[in-house]
Amino acid sequence: MRPTPDSPVAPMLAKAVPAVPDPESVEGGLSYEPKWDGFRAIVYAEPGGGETIGAVEIGSRGSKMLTRYFPELVEAFRRLLPGPCVLDGEIVVPTGEPGRQRLDWEALSQRIHPAASRVKLLAEETPATFIAFDLIALGDESYLDRPFGERRAALEEFAAAVPAPIALTRTTTDVELARKWLVEFEGAGLDGVVAKPLAGPYAPNKRTLLKIKHHRTADVVVLGYRIHASGRGVGSLLLGLYDSDGTLRNVGGVSAFSDATRLALIDELEPLVERDASGEAVKGETERSRFSSGKDVSFVRLRPERVLEVRYDQMEGMRFRHTAQFERWRPDREARSCTFDQLDRPVAYDLGDVLT
């Protein structure tokens, strides 16, 4: 059955591996492609009259609709796509002079704005590009059960000639070229390399792809904040992830903000502050440890709605071992989609081999 915006498909996911794998490591071989650093997007170009395109919707990784934020892409899909389809890909914003362009995450994240006038202006000033990398449906026919090699061939036949702002991602079966991409493409703002089993079907919400990134990151929910030691501004943000039973658990914090950012965060987070019947901000306390026995562990509670991406080195149990580093806000992510499953767990390694 063909996925639709009313019955959306969850995107295929990837698990982290430490290096670009050899094609022989997976039955049927692997296809390699760049890992784009943008908003994951499922494009639903609905059938209209005959073979024409009717309605167009853009769904995010968590099925949150992004359609209203990218009017220039909606217009391009209607005008340029050869027919109705469901595409998996990434929305990116390239900036810079020709010959020196790179992906611009800040420009992309600004596109998620409540004001229609602002969205229209940004669509003109920083137009987005859609990078297609998988074919989920063509016309009324679902391609979910077809192997990736077949889906890729059909995608090339369908979309290879489609002009900007729609593009088809590069692929290769040459593992050495993929390893070269991992190094070289970072300079253009890309996020790594993805390896896809050529014989694998499209597996919604399953981590059947392999990703090789330049560092570990996680999308986390903001639980609250602590006031800075100076008494002015936000000193640190408390971070949370949902576990398998839906409980939101504290996994650590992020700090090291500039003076200006600390003050700005107070105003930015104000609408999310939980308040009691009298209007006072609700306070919470984190667990004390032998390192915090004499410290103030209270924090201002926030409604768990804002998502941010952090960099971290490793986990210790269910928490970041060290304070994480703020990477960027993630306005395209739903808070409930931030689970422990996304974490890049280090590949097991024998201590005896380290000591030898």
Side-chain angles (χ1 to χ4, degrees), residues 183-202:
V183 176
E184 293 182 346
F185 289 178
E186 186 177 10
L190 276 77
D191 207 16
V193 169
V194 174
K196 296 183 175 181
L198 282 164
Y202 194 96

Side-chain angles (χ1 to χ4, degrees), residues 214-267:
H214 303 111
H215 54 70
R216 290 194 182 99
T217 64
D219 293 333
V220 294
V221 185
V222 182
L223 303 178
Y225 66 82
R226 290 195 178 100
I227 298 297
H228 189 257
S230 66
R232 301 178 68 245
V234 169
S236 61
L237 299 175
L238 273 68
L239 312 175
L241 288 172
Y242 285 94
D243 65 16
S244 58
D245 66 8
T247 302
L248 184 57
R249 300 190 180 278
N250 179 13
V251 295
V254 60
S255 57
F257 301 113
S258 68
D259 291 344
T261 300
R262 284 200 294 266
L263 296 176
L265 280 172
I266 289 288
D267 294 332

Side-chain angles (χ1 to χ4, degrees), residues 29-186:
L30 291 168
S31 174
Y32 308 94
E33 62 188 57
K35 186 178 186 302
W36 297 91
D37 190 18
F39 290 171
R40 185 73 175 273
I42 304 293
V43 175
Y44 302 89
E46 297 290 293
E51 293 298 317
T52 62
I53 296 174
V56 171
E57 295 289 347
I58 305 173
S60 73
R61 174 174 164 172
S63 296
K64 174 183 177 180
M65 287 300 156
L66 303 175
T67 313
R68 69 176 298 268
Y69 303 115
F70 298 97
E72 77 280 26
L73 288 182
V74 172
E75 188 275 334
F77 293 137
R78 287 180 174 147
R79 178 170 51 89
L80 300 175
L81 288 177
C85 59
V86 180
L87 302 175
D88 187 4
E90 199 100 354
I91 296 174
V92 299
V93 170
T95 59
E97 300 176 358
R100 301 183 65 182
Q101 286 192 328
R102 59 178 291 120
L103 301 185
D104 190 329
W105 173 262
E106 288 301 319
L108 175 63
S109 62
Q110 289 174 17
R111 297 297 302 273
I112 309 299
H113 197 282
S117 58
R118 180 66 174 167
V119 169
K120 182 177 183 297
L121 177 64
L122 292 175
E124 296 171 353
E125 293 182 345
T126 55
T129 294
F130 176 75
I131 311 293
F133 47 64
D134 214 331
L135 180 65
I136 296 174
L138 194 56
D140 291 324
E141 185 176 359
S142 172
Y143 276 53
L144 290 174
D145 294 331
R146 301 192 184 193
F148 175 67
E150 186 176 334
R151 298 198 310 273
R152 173 67 191 193
L155 178 61
E156 289 179 0
E157 183 178 351
F158 175 75
V162 176
I166 302 170
L168 189 61
T169 195
R170 295 171 64 177
T171 63
T172 184
T173 56
D174 183 341
V175 65
E176 293 305 323
L177 179 57
R179 288 167 179 157
K180 186 177 180 182
W181 285 355
L182 180 64
V183 176
E184 293 182 346
F185 289 178
E186 186 177 10

